[in-house]
Amino acid sequence: MNSQLIRKLSPYHHWEYKNLETGDLLRIVPERGGLITQWICNKKEILYLDQERFKSFNKSVRGGIPVLFPICGSLPKDLLRLPQGDFLIKQHGFARDIPWEIHSLDDQKGISLNLSDTEATRKLFPFKFLIEMKVRLQENALDIKIIVHNRGEENMPYSIGLHPYFKVSDLSNVSFRGLAETCTNHFDMSINSTRVQLEEISSGIDFITTTTGPVSFIDLETNQSIEMQNKSPMDLAVIWTDPPRKMICMEPWTSPRESLINGNRRLVLEPGCLHSFASKFVSN
């Protein structure tokens, strides 16, 4: 066996998935939204995690790789209006806040994180669904494939995304590649120059833009780079910083904010059907 998945209690309750040949590992806390809290690649800590905030169950996590579903971003007054009625749903949805199931993949080369609808989720989002997230440690990379199933009898509108937090040594010493020339500034929803937005990275930025290929950033102090490879329809990129935290969120989304209201890139899954998504993060 070249890998193992074991339960550990320190530094917090989690599951550890480890490649015994390379030493690369993941820490996962399925009870906290299927959260991947740590990724060690080539003996380097790739992800940022605020462990003190992580201990506070009444606060959203700042770190790891939260999963965004069934919305990305927020809705006005947290209100989702559907033919079935009005539903209150908080920013980024509920998937990052509730327990997932964890299993080893059949080929023993990764893990599967699964989330199904419950009576509680249907009070927020009136659909029957199953999310399967297959996570594999590859050479210098973390490969994530997501399958969303509609197990109900009605069309299911939704969006989905990932919200990874990456460690950096200094926000003022980071360079990006692959972003489009223009972006939407989430602070005021204006169309801006991406270059101008990035000049404010140390003050805090939050924008979304399209991609036509890989997007990457390099930490110029350590020469560590992360490349995000994402395919349509998960081909939007959100860049977010929260100074003084030494981290960058480089996030693949399928749809922008309010897509379930305005229809912009809204995904609709028919009964009995599934959608597949893929993202890969390469560490160099």
Side-chain angles (χ1 to χ4, degrees):
M1 181 183 294
N2 295 326
S3 62
Q4 61 180 189
L5 178 65
I6 57 176
R7 182 71 165 166
K8 290 201 169 184
L9 303 180
S10 179
Y12 45 81
H13 287 221
H14 69 279
W15 288 88
E16 180 183 276
Y17 174 78
K18 188 172 186 179
N19 184 315
L20 300 178
E21 293 182 342
T22 65
D24 292 357
L25 67 81
L26 298 172
R27 282 179 173 162
I28 312 102
V29 184
E31 300 85 358
R32 299 288 296 274
L35 184 69
I36 297 171
T37 57
Q38 186 175 40
W39 170 28
I40 292 180
C41 182
N42 295 323
K43 300 181 179 180
K44 296 179 181 178
E45 187 84 58
I46 305 301
L47 299 178
Y48 169 92
L49 178 66
D50 182 337
Q51 288 201 36
E52 287 303 311
R53 186 179 175 104
F54 179 76
K55 296 175 184 177
S56 300
F57 286 81
N58 61 339
K59 295 181 179 179
S60 58
V61 174
R62 289 288 185 265
I65 309 180
V67 181
L68 314 182
F69 175 89
I71 61 171
C72 299
S74 58
L75 298 171
K77 298 183 180 180
D78 294 333
L79 184 64
L80 176 60
R81 287 184 168 169
L82 297 170
Q84 296 89 339
D86 292 350
F87 300 87
L88 288 175
I89 189 164
K90 294 181 180 180
Q91 178 167 295
H92 295 323
F94 51 75
R96 62 179 181 157
D97 298 320
I98 60 177
W100 292 51
E101 295 180 354
I102 187 170
H103 308 279
S104 293
L105 292 175
D106 292 340
D107 59 11
Q108 302 297 312
K109 294 183 179 179
I111 59 165
S112 176
L113 288 160
N114 299 335
L115 180 68
S116 299
D117 64 279
T118 65
E119 183 178 352
T121 68
R122 290 191 295 273
K123 291 179 180 178
L124 306 173
F125 184 65
F127 300 98
K128 296 180 179 181
F129 63 85
L130 168 66
I131 303 174
E132 299 178 277
M133 189 164 74
K134 302 180 187 299
V135 184
R136 290 181 170 85
L137 283 175
Q138 299 181 344
E139 184 176 2
N140 301 320
L142 184 63
D143 183 75
I144 300 177
K145 289 183 171 58
I146 302 173
I147 304 172
V148 181
H149 303 258
N150 183 349
R151 303 198 298 187
E153 299 179 354
E154 301 175 285
N155 286 348
M156 182 175 77
Y158 73 101
S159 55
I160 193 166
L162 298 173
H163 197 313
Y165 291 70
F166 297 105
K167 289 182 65 174
V168 294
S169 57
D170 190 334
L171 284 173
S172 65
N173 207 18
V174 174
S175 177
F176 280 86
R177 292 183 180 177
L179 295 170
E181 291 185 0
T182 60
C183 63
T184 299
N185 181 354
H186 276 155
F187 292 127
D188 60 10
M189 300 307 292
S190 62
I191 304 300
N192 283 193
S193 160
T194 302
R195 178 185 58 79
V196 171
Q197 285 290 292
L198 289 174
E199 290 174 354
E200 301 298 321
I201 192 169
S202 295
S203 301
I205 57 175
D206 184 0
F207 67 78
I208 187 169
T209 188
T210 56
T211 66
T212 56
V215 174
S216 64
F217 73 84
I218 183 169
D219 186 325
L220 299 174
E221 182 174 319
T222 63
N223 208 36
Q224 170 77 22
S225 69
I226 300 294
E227 181 179 87
M228 180 174 71
Q229 301 173 1
N230 48 328
K231 300 178 181 179
S232 177
M234 194 180 270
D235 55 355
L236 297 178
V238 171
I239 308 298
W240 180 64
T241 63
D242 185 30
R245 300 178 188 276
K246 293 183 178 181
M247 63 81 184
I248 288 173
C249 289
M250 183 169 64
E251 312 167 29
W253 290 15
T254 61
S255 318
R257 288 181 174 182
E258 302 183 20
S259 67
L260 268 64
I261 295 176
N262 59 33
N264 183 14
R265 292 179 56 118
R266 175 176 53 206
L267 302 179
V268 179
L269 185 54
E270 296 179 349
C273 295
L274 60 85
H275 286 161
S276 298
F277 310 92
S279 283
K280 180 182 283 190
F281 303 97
V282 181
S283 171
N284 293 307

